[in-house]
Amino acid sequence: MTVSRIAYQGEPGANSHLVCKQHHPDAVALACASFEDVFAAVTGGTADIAMIPIDNSIAGRVADIHHFLPTSGLHVVGEHFLRIQFMLMATPGAALEDVKTVHSHVHALGQCRKIIKQHGWTPLISGDTAGAAREISEAQDPTQAAIAPPLAAEIYGLQILQRDIEDEDHNTTRFVELAREPQWPEPGAPTVTTFIFNVRNIPAALYKALGGFATNGVNMTKLESYMVDGSFTGTQFLAEVDGHPADPGLSRALEELRFFTTDVRIMGVYRADPFRAENG
């Protein structure tokens, strides 16, 4: 698939923007204010694909995305893992001892708690990391700093006061690419399959639904649950497994899943990022 325009949530310089530049350097990256706007850009044809963060190794799942995915009408067509690097940045000429407040997205602040506590800074929540950098650039106040990716410092003309301030060096975010049409690869290479299904709220419903994956040797890497339409009588699950639906084991497991559940829908079949094998 040729990608000429790619939508992401956030402002220029955000981690999502960085992933777009890394994997689609020739595409025009479209900044969107919200995840809803990102999905609308793709469904409406303004963008070819969306680049969306879905999980972080420290903060966990990006909750909004898991709720939007099943109703978006889009298909997962790829995944990418990004080692997150946060920098403390301020206006040129500012010094570390000048800083009194740090601005960033709530997830970024949560991933840099140690340094914030160490210096006694006041954390202030911004819409996103790059947006915080832009705000600091506009304020021109040496007592205010932003926690943002290095690309944001370059874009907004800020000085990096301290590098790699995240609490853990394994801080990694997984992004998925979403498109209007499915793009299943041929079986053979390492593949991931994402799907959703519903079960009734009765004893052993989930146990029976997932039994086929165990008996057929299929590795399940994700299982998230959600209420269906606010009801306590049924639950929807989003799951990810290793393998391609054409693989005999996964094919049998999905057939058994459909016997015990309703509304099984494959949301994407795509190549596994090499990061999985390197960090498995």
PDB file of all heavy atoms in Angstrom, residues 23 76-81 174-176 183-194 219 221 240-244 268-278:
ATOM      1  N   HIS A  23       8.736   5.516   9.885  1.00  0.00           N
ATOM      2  CA  HIS A  23       8.251   4.412   9.055  1.00  0.00           C
ATOM      3  C   HIS A  23       7.620   4.853   7.735  1.00  0.00           C
ATOM      4  O   HIS A  23       7.466   4.034   6.834  1.00  0.00           O
ATOM      5  CB  HIS A  23       7.262   3.561   9.864  1.00  0.00           C
ATOM      6  CG  HIS A  23       7.894   2.898  11.053  1.00  0.00           C
ATOM      7  ND1 HIS A  23       8.630   1.738  10.934  1.00  0.00           N
ATOM      8  CD2 HIS A  23       7.937   3.238  12.363  1.00  0.00           C
ATOM      9  CE1 HIS A  23       9.088   1.392  12.130  1.00  0.00           C
ATOM     10  NE2 HIS A  23       8.683   2.282  13.005  1.00  0.00           N
ATOM     11  N   VAL A  76      -6.608  -2.978  11.426  1.00  0.00           N
ATOM     12  CA  VAL A  76      -5.201  -2.903  11.812  1.00  0.00           C
ATOM     13  C   VAL A  76      -4.370  -3.516  10.688  1.00  0.00           C
ATOM     14  O   VAL A  76      -4.585  -4.672  10.304  1.00  0.00           O
ATOM     15  CB  VAL A  76      -4.947  -3.656  13.129  1.00  0.00           C
ATOM     16  CG1 VAL A  76      -3.488  -3.479  13.555  1.00  0.00           C
ATOM     17  CG2 VAL A  76      -5.874  -3.163  14.232  1.00  0.00           C
ATOM     18  N   VAL A  77      -3.407  -2.752  10.178  1.00  0.00           N
ATOM     19  CA  VAL A  77      -2.614  -3.238   9.038  1.00  0.00           C
ATOM     20  C   VAL A  77      -1.115  -3.262   9.345  1.00  0.00           C
ATOM     21  O   VAL A  77      -0.310  -3.657   8.497  1.00  0.00           O
ATOM     22  CB  VAL A  77      -2.872  -2.376   7.785  1.00  0.00           C
ATOM     23  CG1 VAL A  77      -4.325  -2.490   7.356  1.00  0.00           C
ATOM     24  CG2 VAL A  77      -2.492  -0.912   8.026  1.00  0.00           C
ATOM     25  N   GLY A  78      -0.721  -2.850  10.555  1.00  0.00           N
ATOM     26  CA  GLY A  78       0.689  -2.883  10.904  1.00  0.00           C
ATOM     27  C   GLY A  78       0.895  -2.477  12.348  1.00  0.00           C
ATOM     28  O   GLY A  78      -0.014  -1.962  13.001  1.00  0.00           O
ATOM     29  N   GLU A  79       2.101  -2.746  12.856  1.00  0.00           N
ATOM     30  CA  GLU A  79       2.451  -2.350  14.211  1.00  0.00           C
ATOM     31  C   GLU A  79       3.899  -1.899  14.252  1.00  0.00           C
ATOM     32  O   GLU A  79       4.736  -2.348  13.456  1.00  0.00           O
ATOM     33  CB  GLU A  79       2.222  -3.490  15.210  1.00  0.00           C
ATOM     34  CG  GLU A  79       3.153  -4.682  15.009  1.00  0.00           C
ATOM     35  CD  GLU A  79       3.087  -5.697  16.156  1.00  0.00           C
ATOM     36  OE1 GLU A  79       2.327  -5.493  17.117  1.00  0.00           O
ATOM     37  OE2 GLU A  79       3.820  -6.712  16.062  1.00  0.00           O
ATOM     38  N   HIS A  80       4.200  -1.013  15.200  1.00  0.00           N
ATOM     39  CA  HIS A  80       5.558  -0.515  15.389  1.00  0.00           C
ATOM     40  C   HIS A  80       5.783  -0.272  16.881  1.00  0.00           C
ATOM     41  O   HIS A  80       4.876   0.173  17.586  1.00  0.00           O
ATOM     42  CB  HIS A  80       5.785   0.796  14.626  1.00  0.00           C
ATOM     43  CG  HIS A  80       5.443   0.717  13.175  1.00  0.00           C
ATOM     44  ND1 HIS A  80       6.194  -0.013  12.282  1.00  0.00           N
ATOM     45  CD2 HIS A  80       4.420   1.263  12.462  1.00  0.00           C
ATOM     46  CE1 HIS A  80       5.658   0.093  11.067  1.00  0.00           C
ATOM     47  NE2 HIS A  80       4.586   0.857  11.162  1.00  0.00           N
ATOM     48  N   PHE A  81       6.979  -0.553  17.355  1.00  0.00           N
ATOM     49  CA  PHE A  81       7.345  -0.293  18.742  1.00  0.00           C
ATOM     50  C   PHE A  81       8.361   0.843  18.783  1.00  0.00           C
ATOM     51  O   PHE A  81       9.320   0.854  18.011  1.00  0.00           O
ATOM     52  CB  PHE A  81       7.942  -1.542  19.387  1.00  0.00           C
ATOM     53  CG  PHE A  81       6.937  -2.647  19.603  1.00  0.00           C
ATOM     54  CD1 PHE A  81       6.562  -3.482  18.561  1.00  0.00           C
ATOM     55  CD2 PHE A  81       6.374  -2.857  20.854  1.00  0.00           C
ATOM     56  CE1 PHE A  81       5.639  -4.501  18.754  1.00  0.00           C
ATOM     57  CE2 PHE A  81       5.450  -3.872  21.064  1.00  0.00           C
ATOM     58  CZ  PHE A  81       5.081  -4.700  20.016  1.00  0.00           C
ATOM     59  N   ARG A 174       3.757   0.804  21.945  1.00  0.00           N
ATOM     60  CA  ARG A 174       3.374   0.080  20.729  1.00  0.00           C
ATOM     61  C   ARG A 174       2.337   0.914  19.983  1.00  0.00           C
ATOM     62  O   ARG A 174       1.347   1.374  20.560  1.00  0.00           O
ATOM     63  CB  ARG A 174       2.787  -1.280  21.092  1.00  0.00           C
ATOM     64  CG  ARG A 174       2.282  -2.073  19.877  1.00  0.00           C
ATOM     65  CD  ARG A 174       1.785  -3.435  20.301  1.00  0.00           C
ATOM     66  NE  ARG A 174       1.161  -4.152  19.200  1.00  0.00           N
ATOM     67  CZ  ARG A 174      -0.113  -4.557  19.171  1.00  0.00           C
ATOM     68  NH1 ARG A 174      -0.899  -4.330  20.222  1.00  0.00           N
ATOM     69  NH2 ARG A 174      -0.602  -5.190  18.129  1.00  0.00           N
ATOM     70  N   PHE A 175       2.586   1.104  18.698  1.00  0.00           N
ATOM     71  CA  PHE A 175       1.671   1.827  17.819  1.00  0.00           C
ATOM     72  C   PHE A 175       1.096   0.862  16.794  1.00  0.00           C
ATOM     73  O   PHE A 175       1.770  -0.090  16.388  1.00  0.00           O
ATOM     74  CB  PHE A 175       2.410   2.945  17.079  1.00  0.00           C
ATOM     75  CG  PHE A 175       2.878   4.072  17.956  1.00  0.00           C
ATOM     76  CD1 PHE A 175       4.033   3.947  18.716  1.00  0.00           C
ATOM     77  CD2 PHE A 175       2.174   5.263  18.018  1.00  0.00           C
ATOM     78  CE1 PHE A 175       4.475   4.984  19.527  1.00  0.00           C
ATOM     79  CE2 PHE A 175       2.606   6.305  18.821  1.00  0.00           C
ATOM     80  CZ  PHE A 175       3.753   6.173  19.577  1.00  0.00           C
ATOM     81  N   VAL A 176      -0.132   1.121  16.361  1.00  0.00           N
ATOM     82  CA  VAL A 176      -0.712   0.339  15.272  1.00  0.00           C
ATOM     83  C   VAL A 176      -1.112   1.266  14.133  1.00  0.00           C
ATOM     84  O   VAL A 176      -1.458   2.432  14.364  1.00  0.00           O
ATOM     85  CB  VAL A 176      -1.941  -0.492  15.729  1.00  0.00           C
ATOM     86  CG1 VAL A 176      -1.524  -1.580  16.697  1.00  0.00           C
ATOM     87  CG2 VAL A 176      -3.024   0.387  16.342  1.00  0.00           C
ATOM     88  N   GLN A 183      -5.515  -5.553   4.945  1.00  0.00           N
ATOM     89  CA  GLN A 183      -4.358  -5.838   4.088  1.00  0.00           C
ATOM     90  C   GLN A 183      -3.629  -7.049   4.652  1.00  0.00           C
ATOM     91  O   GLN A 183      -2.512  -6.947   5.160  1.00  0.00           O
ATOM     92  CB  GLN A 183      -3.439  -4.614   4.032  1.00  0.00           C
ATOM     93  CG  GLN A 183      -4.080  -3.379   3.446  1.00  0.00           C
ATOM     94  CD  GLN A 183      -3.264  -2.127   3.661  1.00  0.00           C
ATOM     95  OE1 GLN A 183      -2.041  -2.179   3.730  1.00  0.00           O
ATOM     96  NE2 GLN A 183      -3.935  -0.999   3.788  1.00  0.00           N
ATOM     97  N   TRP A 184      -4.282  -8.196   4.590  1.00  0.00           N
ATOM     98  CA  TRP A 184      -3.698  -9.405   5.155  1.00  0.00           C
ATOM     99  C   TRP A 184      -2.457  -9.819   4.376  1.00  0.00           C
ATOM    100  O   TRP A 184      -2.496  -9.920   3.145  1.00  0.00           O
ATOM    101  CB  TRP A 184      -4.702 -10.544   5.122  1.00  0.00           C
ATOM    102  CG  TRP A 184      -5.873 -10.382   6.046  1.00  0.00           C
ATOM    103  CD1 TRP A 184      -6.341  -9.235   6.614  1.00  0.00           C
ATOM    104  CD2 TRP A 184      -6.734 -11.431   6.496  1.00  0.00           C
ATOM    105  NE1 TRP A 184      -7.431  -9.505   7.392  1.00  0.00           N
ATOM    106  CE2 TRP A 184      -7.701 -10.834   7.344  1.00  0.00           C
ATOM    107  CE3 TRP A 184      -6.778 -12.799   6.261  1.00  0.00           C
ATOM    108  CZ2 TRP A 184      -8.705 -11.575   7.954  1.00  0.00           C
ATOM    109  CZ3 TRP A 184      -7.781 -13.551   6.868  1.00  0.00           C
ATOM    110  CH2 TRP A 184      -8.728 -12.948   7.708  1.00  0.00           C
ATOM    111  N   PRO A 185      -1.359 -10.078   5.055  1.00  0.00           N
ATOM    112  CA  PRO A 185      -0.171 -10.593   4.375  1.00  0.00           C
ATOM    113  C   PRO A 185      -0.346 -12.077   4.055  1.00  0.00           C
ATOM    114  O   PRO A 185      -1.254 -12.734   4.580  1.00  0.00           O
ATOM    115  CB  PRO A 185       0.934 -10.383   5.409  1.00  0.00           C
ATOM    116  CG  PRO A 185       0.218 -10.524   6.720  1.00  0.00           C
ATOM    117  CD  PRO A 185      -1.149  -9.930   6.510  1.00  0.00           C
ATOM    118  N   GLU A 186       0.520 -12.592   3.224  1.00  0.00           N
ATOM    119  CA  GLU A 186       0.507 -14.027   2.951  1.00  0.00           C
ATOM    120  C   GLU A 186       0.996 -14.785   4.188  1.00  0.00           C
ATOM    121  O   GLU A 186       1.833 -14.279   4.937  1.00  0.00           O
ATOM    122  CB  GLU A 186       1.405 -14.351   1.758  1.00  0.00           C
ATOM    123  CG  GLU A 186       0.901 -13.804   0.430  1.00  0.00           C
ATOM    124  CD  GLU A 186      -0.408 -14.428   0.019  1.00  0.00           C
ATOM    125  OE1 GLU A 186      -0.575 -15.661   0.235  1.00  0.00           O
ATOM    126  OE2 GLU A 186      -1.277 -13.704  -0.498  1.00  0.00           O
ATOM    127  N   PRO A 187       0.468 -15.982   4.426  1.00  0.00           N
ATOM    128  CA  PRO A 187       0.963 -16.776   5.563  1.00  0.00           C
ATOM    129  C   PRO A 187       2.443 -17.096   5.395  1.00  0.00           C
ATOM    130  O   PRO A 187       2.953 -17.130   4.286  1.00  0.00           O
ATOM    131  CB  PRO A 187       0.112 -18.054   5.490  1.00  0.00           C
ATOM    132  CG  PRO A 187      -1.071 -17.702   4.658  1.00  0.00           C
ATOM    133  CD  PRO A 187      -0.596 -16.671   3.679  1.00  0.00           C
ATOM    134  N   GLY A 188       3.102 -17.303   6.522  1.00  0.00           N
ATOM    135  CA  GLY A 188       4.512 -17.700   6.472  1.00  0.00           C
ATOM    136  C   GLY A 188       5.365 -16.950   7.466  1.00  0.00           C
ATOM    137  O   GLY A 188       5.883 -17.525   8.411  1.00  0.00           O
ATOM    138  N   ALA A 189       5.511 -15.638   7.263  1.00  0.00           N
ATOM    139  CA  ALA A 189       6.316 -14.839   8.181  1.00  0.00           C
ATOM    140  C   ALA A 189       5.567 -14.629   9.495  1.00  0.00           C
ATOM    141  O   ALA A 189       4.347 -14.815   9.549  1.00  0.00           O
ATOM    142  CB  ALA A 189       6.653 -13.499   7.538  1.00  0.00           C
ATOM    143  N   PRO A 190       6.266 -14.264  10.572  1.00  0.00           N
ATOM    144  CA  PRO A 190       5.584 -14.007  11.853  1.00  0.00           C
ATOM    145  C   PRO A 190       4.465 -12.981  11.703  1.00  0.00           C
ATOM    146  O   PRO A 190       4.681 -11.896  11.139  1.00  0.00           O
ATOM    147  CB  PRO A 190       6.712 -13.479  12.734  1.00  0.00           C
ATOM    148  CG  PRO A 190       7.944 -14.094  12.174  1.00  0.00           C
ATOM    149  CD  PRO A 190       7.724 -14.138  10.688  1.00  0.00           C
ATOM    150  N   THR A 191       3.300 -13.349  12.162  1.00  0.00           N
ATOM    151  CA  THR A 191       2.088 -12.566  11.945  1.00  0.00           C
ATOM    152  C   THR A 191       1.303 -12.437  13.241  1.00  0.00           C
ATOM    153  O   THR A 191       1.351 -13.319  14.100  1.00  0.00           O
ATOM    154  CB  THR A 191       1.205 -13.236  10.865  1.00  0.00           C
ATOM    155  OG1 THR A 191       1.976 -13.412   9.677  1.00  0.00           O
ATOM    156  CG2 THR A 191      -0.020 -12.406  10.538  1.00  0.00           C
ATOM    157  N   VAL A 192       0.560 -11.339  13.373  1.00  0.00           N
ATOM    158  CA  VAL A 192      -0.335 -11.105  14.509  1.00  0.00           C
ATOM    159  C   VAL A 192      -1.757 -10.978  13.984  1.00  0.00           C
ATOM    160  O   VAL A 192      -1.988 -10.366  12.932  1.00  0.00           O
ATOM    161  CB  VAL A 192       0.055  -9.833  15.279  1.00  0.00           C
ATOM    162  CG1 VAL A 192      -0.902  -9.585  16.450  1.00  0.00           C
ATOM    163  CG2 VAL A 192       1.491  -9.917  15.776  1.00  0.00           C
ATOM    164  N   THR A 193      -2.706 -11.557  14.699  1.00  0.00           N
ATOM    165  CA  THR A 193      -4.120 -11.433  14.358  1.00  0.00           C
ATOM    166  C   THR A 193      -4.855 -10.780  15.522  1.00  0.00           C
ATOM    167  O   THR A 193      -4.746 -11.235  16.661  1.00  0.00           O
ATOM    168  CB  THR A 193      -4.747 -12.804  14.052  1.00  0.00           C
ATOM    169  OG1 THR A 193      -4.114 -13.370  12.897  1.00  0.00           O
ATOM    170  CG2 THR A 193      -6.241 -12.675  13.779  1.00  0.00           C
ATOM    171  N   THR A 194      -5.570  -9.699  15.230  1.00  0.00           N
ATOM    172  CA  THR A 194      -6.369  -8.985  16.224  1.00  0.00           C
ATOM    173  C   THR A 194      -7.846  -9.232  15.936  1.00  0.00           C
ATOM    174  O   THR A 194      -8.279  -9.120  14.783  1.00  0.00           O
ATOM    175  CB  THR A 194      -6.082  -7.474  16.167  1.00  0.00           C
ATOM    176  OG1 THR A 194      -4.713  -7.241  16.488  1.00  0.00           O
ATOM    177  CG2 THR A 194      -6.959  -6.703  17.146  1.00  0.00           C
ATOM    178  N   ASN A 219      -0.580 -18.952  20.812  1.00  0.00           N
ATOM    179  CA  ASN A 219      -0.167 -18.040  21.867  1.00  0.00           C
ATOM    180  C   ASN A 219      -1.002 -16.766  21.825  1.00  0.00           C
ATOM    181  O   ASN A 219      -1.019 -16.053  20.819  1.00  0.00           O
ATOM    182  CB  ASN A 219       1.318 -17.681  21.714  1.00  0.00           C
ATOM    183  CG  ASN A 219       1.807 -16.777  22.820  1.00  0.00           C
ATOM    184  OD1 ASN A 219       1.415 -16.935  23.973  1.00  0.00           O
ATOM    185  ND2 ASN A 219       2.668 -15.831  22.487  1.00  0.00           N
ATOM    186  N   THR A 221      -1.472 -13.042  23.127  1.00  0.00           N
ATOM    187  CA  THR A 221      -0.611 -12.002  23.703  1.00  0.00           C
ATOM    188  C   THR A 221      -1.394 -10.847  24.306  1.00  0.00           C
ATOM    189  O   THR A 221      -0.811 -10.019  25.019  1.00  0.00           O
ATOM    190  CB  THR A 221       0.328 -11.447  22.621  1.00  0.00           C
ATOM    191  OG1 THR A 221      -0.457 -10.959  21.516  1.00  0.00           O
ATOM    192  CG2 THR A 221       1.267 -12.531  22.116  1.00  0.00           C
ATOM    193  N   GLU A 240      -5.485 -10.546  20.893  1.00  0.00           N
ATOM    194  CA  GLU A 240      -4.446 -10.661  19.877  1.00  0.00           C
ATOM    195  C   GLU A 240      -3.720 -11.978  20.068  1.00  0.00           C
ATOM    196  O   GLU A 240      -3.443 -12.381  21.212  1.00  0.00           O
ATOM    197  CB  GLU A 240      -3.458  -9.506  19.972  1.00  0.00           C
ATOM    198  CG  GLU A 240      -4.052  -8.181  19.544  1.00  0.00           C
ATOM    199  CD  GLU A 240      -3.072  -7.030  19.620  1.00  0.00           C
ATOM    200  OE1 GLU A 240      -1.972  -7.216  20.177  1.00  0.00           O
ATOM    201  OE2 GLU A 240      -3.421  -5.947  19.099  1.00  0.00           O
ATOM    202  N   VAL A 241      -3.434 -12.628  18.967  1.00  0.00           N
ATOM    203  CA  VAL A 241      -2.738 -13.913  19.019  1.00  0.00           C
ATOM    204  C   VAL A 241      -1.632 -13.934  17.979  1.00  0.00           C
ATOM    205  O   VAL A 241      -1.675 -13.209  16.981  1.00  0.00           O
ATOM    206  CB  VAL A 241      -3.708 -15.093  18.764  1.00  0.00           C
ATOM    207  CG1 VAL A 241      -4.743 -15.184  19.873  1.00  0.00           C
ATOM    208  CG2 VAL A 241      -4.381 -14.967  17.397  1.00  0.00           C
ATOM    209  N   ASP A 242      -0.640 -14.778  18.212  1.00  0.00           N
ATOM    210  CA  ASP A 242       0.389 -15.012  17.214  1.00  0.00           C
ATOM    211  C   ASP A 242      -0.181 -15.921  16.136  1.00  0.00           C
ATOM    212  O   ASP A 242      -0.841 -16.920  16.445  1.00  0.00           O
ATOM    213  CB  ASP A 242       1.602 -15.700  17.851  1.00  0.00           C
ATOM    214  CG  ASP A 242       2.343 -14.793  18.817  1.00  0.00           C
ATOM    215  OD1 ASP A 242       2.159 -13.562  18.746  1.00  0.00           O
ATOM    216  OD2 ASP A 242       3.109 -15.320  19.650  1.00  0.00           O
ATOM    217  N   GLY A 243       0.089 -15.592  14.886  1.00  0.00           N
ATOM    218  CA  GLY A 243      -0.332 -16.480  13.804  1.00  0.00           C
ATOM    219  C   GLY A 243      -1.269 -15.825  12.814  1.00  0.00           C
ATOM    220  O   GLY A 243      -1.764 -14.714  13.017  1.00  0.00           O
ATOM    221  N   HIS A 244      -1.508 -16.543  11.730  1.00  0.00           N
ATOM    222  CA  HIS A 244      -2.354 -16.123  10.611  1.00  0.00           C
ATOM    223  C   HIS A 244      -3.602 -17.004  10.602  1.00  0.00           C
ATOM    224  O   HIS A 244      -3.512 -18.200  10.877  1.00  0.00           O
ATOM    225  CB  HIS A 244      -1.571 -16.288   9.306  1.00  0.00           C
ATOM    226  CG  HIS A 244      -2.180 -15.641   8.114  1.00  0.00           C
ATOM    227  ND1 HIS A 244      -3.336 -16.107   7.522  1.00  0.00           N
ATOM    228  CD2 HIS A 244      -1.782 -14.560   7.383  1.00  0.00           C
ATOM    229  CE1 HIS A 244      -3.638 -15.348   6.479  1.00  0.00           C
ATOM    230  NE2 HIS A 244      -2.708 -14.398   6.378  1.00  0.00           N
ATOM    231  N   GLY A 268      -7.777  -7.283  12.188  1.00  0.00           N
ATOM    232  CA  GLY A 268      -6.531  -7.078  11.477  1.00  0.00           C
ATOM    233  C   GLY A 268      -5.641  -8.297  11.490  1.00  0.00           C
ATOM    234  O   GLY A 268      -5.621  -9.050  12.471  1.00  0.00           O
ATOM    235  N   VAL A 269      -4.943  -8.515  10.393  1.00  0.00           N
ATOM    236  CA  VAL A 269      -3.916  -9.550  10.272  1.00  0.00           C
ATOM    237  C   VAL A 269      -2.708  -8.849   9.653  1.00  0.00           C
ATOM    238  O   VAL A 269      -2.802  -8.278   8.566  1.00  0.00           O
ATOM    239  CB  VAL A 269      -4.377 -10.718   9.381  1.00  0.00           C
ATOM    240  CG1 VAL A 269      -3.285 -11.777   9.289  1.00  0.00           C
ATOM    241  CG2 VAL A 269      -5.681 -11.317   9.905  1.00  0.00           C
ATOM    242  N   TYR A 270      -1.576  -8.847  10.352  1.00  0.00           N
ATOM    243  CA  TYR A 270      -0.464  -8.007   9.935  1.00  0.00           C
ATOM    244  C   TYR A 270       0.857  -8.601  10.409  1.00  0.00           C
ATOM    245  O   TYR A 270       0.891  -9.437  11.323  1.00  0.00           O
ATOM    246  CB  TYR A 270      -0.625  -6.589  10.487  1.00  0.00           C
ATOM    247  CG  TYR A 270      -1.006  -6.554  11.951  1.00  0.00           C
ATOM    248  CD1 TYR A 270      -0.049  -6.384  12.942  1.00  0.00           C
ATOM    249  CD2 TYR A 270      -2.329  -6.725  12.343  1.00  0.00           C
ATOM    250  CE1 TYR A 270      -0.389  -6.374  14.278  1.00  0.00           C
ATOM    251  CE2 TYR A 270      -2.697  -6.713  13.687  1.00  0.00           C
ATOM    252  CZ  TYR A 270      -1.717  -6.538  14.646  1.00  0.00           C
ATOM    253  OH  TYR A 270      -2.060  -6.547  15.973  1.00  0.00           O
ATOM    254  N   ARG A 271       1.929  -8.196   9.766  1.00  0.00           N
ATOM    255  CA  ARG A 271       3.259  -8.686  10.098  1.00  0.00           C
ATOM    256  C   ARG A 271       3.643  -8.245  11.516  1.00  0.00           C
ATOM    257  O   ARG A 271       3.434  -7.101  11.907  1.00  0.00           O
ATOM    258  CB  ARG A 271       4.287  -8.148   9.113  1.00  0.00           C
ATOM    259  CG  ARG A 271       4.170  -8.762   7.721  1.00  0.00           C
ATOM    260  CD  ARG A 271       4.788 -10.146   7.689  1.00  0.00           C
ATOM    261  NE  ARG A 271       4.731 -10.728   6.357  1.00  0.00           N
ATOM    262  CZ  ARG A 271       3.971 -11.746   6.010  1.00  0.00           C
ATOM    263  NH1 ARG A 271       3.182 -12.310   6.911  1.00  0.00           N
ATOM    264  NH2 ARG A 271       3.991 -12.224   4.795  1.00  0.00           N
ATOM    265  N   ALA A 272       4.226  -9.168  12.270  1.00  0.00           N
ATOM    266  CA  ALA A 272       4.721  -8.841  13.599  1.00  0.00           C
ATOM    267  C   ALA A 272       5.969  -7.974  13.486  1.00  0.00           C
ATOM    268  O   ALA A 272       6.849  -8.238  12.664  1.00  0.00           O
ATOM    269  CB  ALA A 272       5.039 -10.116  14.371  1.00  0.00           C
ATOM    270  N   ASP A 273       6.041  -6.934  14.305  1.00  0.00           N
ATOM    271  CA  ASP A 273       7.233  -6.097  14.324  1.00  0.00           C
ATOM    272  C   ASP A 273       8.409  -6.936  14.838  1.00  0.00           C
ATOM    273  O   ASP A 273       8.245  -7.710  15.781  1.00  0.00           O
ATOM    274  CB  ASP A 273       7.000  -4.900  15.239  1.00  0.00           C
ATOM    275  CG  ASP A 273       8.128  -3.876  15.161  1.00  0.00           C
ATOM    276  OD1 ASP A 273       9.221  -4.154  15.707  1.00  0.00           O
ATOM    277  OD2 ASP A 273       7.915  -2.809  14.567  1.00  0.00           O
ATOM    278  N   PRO A 274       9.604  -6.796  14.258  1.00  0.00           N
ATOM    279  CA  PRO A 274      10.781  -7.555  14.733  1.00  0.00           C
ATOM    280  C   PRO A 274      11.074  -7.354  16.218  1.00  0.00           C
ATOM    281  O   PRO A 274      11.718  -8.193  16.841  1.00  0.00           O
ATOM    282  CB  PRO A 274      11.914  -7.013  13.858  1.00  0.00           C
ATOM    283  CG  PRO A 274      11.251  -6.519  12.620  1.00  0.00           C
ATOM    284  CD  PRO A 274       9.925  -5.997  13.059  1.00  0.00           C
ATOM    285  N   PHE A 275      10.592  -6.264  16.801  1.00  0.00           N
ATOM    286  CA  PHE A 275      10.797  -6.004  18.234  1.00  0.00           C
ATOM    287  C   PHE A 275      10.279  -7.148  19.078  1.00  0.00           C
ATOM    288  O   PHE A 275      10.861  -7.454  20.126  1.00  0.00           O
ATOM    289  CB  PHE A 275      10.066  -4.701  18.611  1.00  0.00           C
ATOM    290  CG  PHE A 275      10.165  -4.330  20.068  1.00  0.00           C
ATOM    291  CD1 PHE A 275      11.198  -3.519  20.526  1.00  0.00           C
ATOM    292  CD2 PHE A 275       9.235  -4.789  20.981  1.00  0.00           C
ATOM    293  CE1 PHE A 275      11.283  -3.170  21.860  1.00  0.00           C
ATOM    294  CE2 PHE A 275       9.320  -4.446  22.333  1.00  0.00           C
ATOM    295  CZ  PHE A 275      10.345  -3.644  22.773  1.00  0.00           C
ATOM    296  N   ARG A 276       9.205  -7.815  18.629  1.00  0.00           N
ATOM    297  CA  ARG A 276       8.634  -8.916  19.408  1.00  0.00           C
ATOM    298  C   ARG A 276       9.663 -10.043  19.576  1.00  0.00           C
ATOM    299  O   ARG A 276       9.834 -10.576  20.673  1.00  0.00           O
ATOM    300  CB  ARG A 276       7.378  -9.454  18.711  1.00  0.00           C
ATOM    301  CG  ARG A 276       6.175  -8.545  18.771  1.00  0.00           C
ATOM    302  CD  ARG A 276       4.989  -9.170  18.048  1.00  0.00           C
ATOM    303  NE  ARG A 276       3.809  -8.329  18.101  1.00  0.00           N
ATOM    304  CZ  ARG A 276       2.849  -8.411  19.000  1.00  0.00           C
ATOM    305  NH1 ARG A 276       2.912  -9.346  19.954  1.00  0.00           N
ATOM    306  NH2 ARG A 276       1.807  -7.611  18.965  1.00  0.00           N
ATOM    307  N   ALA A 277      10.309 -10.424  18.493  1.00  0.00           N
ATOM    308  CA  ALA A 277      11.284 -11.508  18.549  1.00  0.00           C
ATOM    309  C   ALA A 277      12.536 -11.105  19.317  1.00  0.00           C
ATOM    310  O   ALA A 277      13.119 -11.898  20.058  1.00  0.00           O
ATOM    311  CB  ALA A 277      11.656 -11.951  17.134  1.00  0.00           C
ATOM    312  N   GLU A 278      12.937  -9.840  19.171  1.00  0.00           N
ATOM    313  CA  GLU A 278      14.153  -9.366  19.819  1.00  0.00           C
ATOM    314  C   GLU A 278      13.977  -9.208  21.323  1.00  0.00           C
ATOM    315  O   GLU A 278      14.950  -9.262  22.059  1.00  0.00           O
ATOM    316  CB  GLU A 278      14.545  -8.007  19.224  1.00  0.00           C
ATOM    317  CG  GLU A 278      14.922  -8.095  17.746  1.00  0.00           C
ATOM    318  CD  GLU A 278      14.963  -6.731  17.079  1.00  0.00           C
ATOM    319  OE1 GLU A 278      14.734  -5.727  17.785  1.00  0.00           O
ATOM    320  OE2 GLU A 278      15.194  -6.680  15.861  1.00  0.00           O
TER     321      GLU A 278
END
